[in-house]
Amino acid sequence: MIATIQYNSSKLQIDLSKPLDISMPLRASKDNVNAWYVDAPKITPAKDENWIASVKDGACINFNNIEFNPHAHGTHTECVGHITEEVYSINKNLKHFFFLSEVVTVAPEKLGEDFVISKKQIRFALGNKKRDAIVIRTMPNTLEKLTRQYSNTNPTYLLEETAIYLKQKGIKHLLIDLPSVDKEKDECQLLAHNAFWNTKGKLRLDATITEFIYVPNPIEDGKYILNLQIAPFENDATPSKPVLYKVIE
């Protein structure tokens, strides 16, 4: 199922029968990936007096309530409304869903007691390539990322200079396999978020950050078409399902 996409002056081909899902599933389990000091997500049947909305409990349907936080419990896409007093909705500001993207793999650098992703690393990985989106896979890349409990672990983050560089390169969509692009405890400076969304100038309302992705090792670095699928939540962030399609060279 080969599709040809006209992108600027180039024609790119992708195989729609070979999607590469880089999202994390959300499960009602203490082993679900977690951050930001909240409890595990819950998926429970609705109840009405003596009636439980579960087929195994005698109902004719399964009818579950789901309790979770999009920022803490899995793959999510957020807009500038995540850090602004004014309300901005990801559902209102993300209006296009297919983008030319580059998958890059980086080994975080040691900086004091932290591990960081530097401008130098991303500049080397991107070179002169022009992309709408960047998908950052950090090393080591193990399945433990799917169940890790990140609270109070000081995970890897982006330096402010890195976010500025991505903005200057015209990257509109930043995807990363970490709970945040910023340091876990930074006195609420959120340097990378603010830099990427340009909060000191004209807000980049159509730019997004997607966190908690997982890029399996068989997916090679390189050029892909990204389909950034979101749930239509009127909120600063929403659960999302980014899917890659390898560009056929």
Side-chain angles (χ1 to χ4, degrees):
M1 192 174 180
I2 305 300
T4 300
I5 298 172
Q6 183 75 42
Y7 183 85
N8 295 332
S9 60
S10 301
K11 288 187 177 180
L12 307 175
Q13 285 193 323
I14 59 174
D15 188 344
L16 293 177
S17 70
K18 296 180 179 179
L20 301 167
D21 187 351
I22 58 170
S23 68
M24 291 190 189
L26 188 147
R27 297 164 294 141
S29 169
K30 62 181 179 59
D31 292 327
N32 192 84
V33 70
N34 203 331
W36 312 118
Y37 330 111
V38 298
D39 293 334
K42 298 176 183 177
I43 303 177
T44 55
K47 297 181 180 180
D48 182 12
E49 296 182 352
N50 296 324
W51 181 74
I52 301 175
S54 168
V55 174
K56 74 174 184 177
D57 288 312
C60 61
I61 55 168
N62 294 307
F63 188 65
N64 291 326
N65 295 322
I66 302 177
E67 181 180 342
F68 72 102
N69 186 297
H71 293 285
H73 289 142
T75 308
H76 61 278
T77 298
E78 56 196 36
C79 70
V80 69
H82 182 42
I83 59 169
T84 57
E85 181 177 354
E86 186 169 351
V87 175
Y88 293 103
S89 162
I90 181 65
N91 190 51
K92 284 188 168 67
N93 285 286
L94 180 61
K95 290 302 185 183
H96 300 279
F97 308 98
F98 286 89
F99 311 100
L100 183 61
S101 68
E102 188 77 12
V103 172
V104 302
T105 303
V106 297
E109 298 179 349
K110 193 79 165 63
L111 181 66
E113 297 181 353
D114 300 343
F115 283 94
V116 301
I117 299 172
S118 68
K119 171 184 174 181
K120 178 182 66 176
Q121 290 178 293
I122 297 301
R123 183 170 58 190
F124 177 80
L126 281 178
N128 294 324
K129 298 167 185 171
K130 302 294 184 182
R131 300 289 185 263
D132 306 313
I134 185 170
V135 178
I136 301 176
R137 169 173 48 197
T138 60
M139 298 297 289
N141 191 52
T142 66
L143 288 174
E144 185 261 348
K145 287 180 179 177
L146 298 172
T147 58
R148 188 173 179 187
Q149 307 299 291
Y150 279 92
S151 297
N152 295 308
T153 64
N154 191 30
T156 296
Y157 59 92
L158 264 63
L159 292 177
E160 181 182 23
E161 65 176 23
T162 313
I164 293 172
Y165 175 73
L166 291 171
K167 177 184 66 178
Q168 293 172 340
K169 281 281 289 183
I171 297 289
K172 286 288 185 71
H173 306 283
L174 166 56
L175 295 84
I176 197 163
D177 59 5
L178 299 169
S180 178
V181 296
D182 274 307
K183 184 177 172 71
E184 181 180 17
K185 296 178 180 178
D186 68 349
E187 299 179 348
C188 226
Q189 296 181 80
L190 299 170
L191 298 176
H193 281 92
N194 278 287
F196 186 73
W197 281 318
N198 199 41
T199 55
K200 293 182 179 179
K202 184 178 180 181
L203 291 180
R204 303 175 78 212
L205 295 175
D206 58 347
T208 69
I209 297 174
T210 300
E211 295 158 336
F212 267 150
I213 64 169
Y214 178 70
V215 186
N217 290 318
I219 296 178
E220 299 176 347
D221 285 11
K223 183 166 59 176
Y224 294 80
I225 293 296
L226 166 68
N227 177 205
L228 186 53
Q229 305 174 25
I230 64 169
F233 284 28
E234 296 295 353
N235 188 47
D236 69 279
T238 176
S240 59
K241 187 180 180 73
V243 175
L244 298 173
Y245 294 91
K246 180 71 176 177
V247 174
I248 301 170
E249 301 291 354

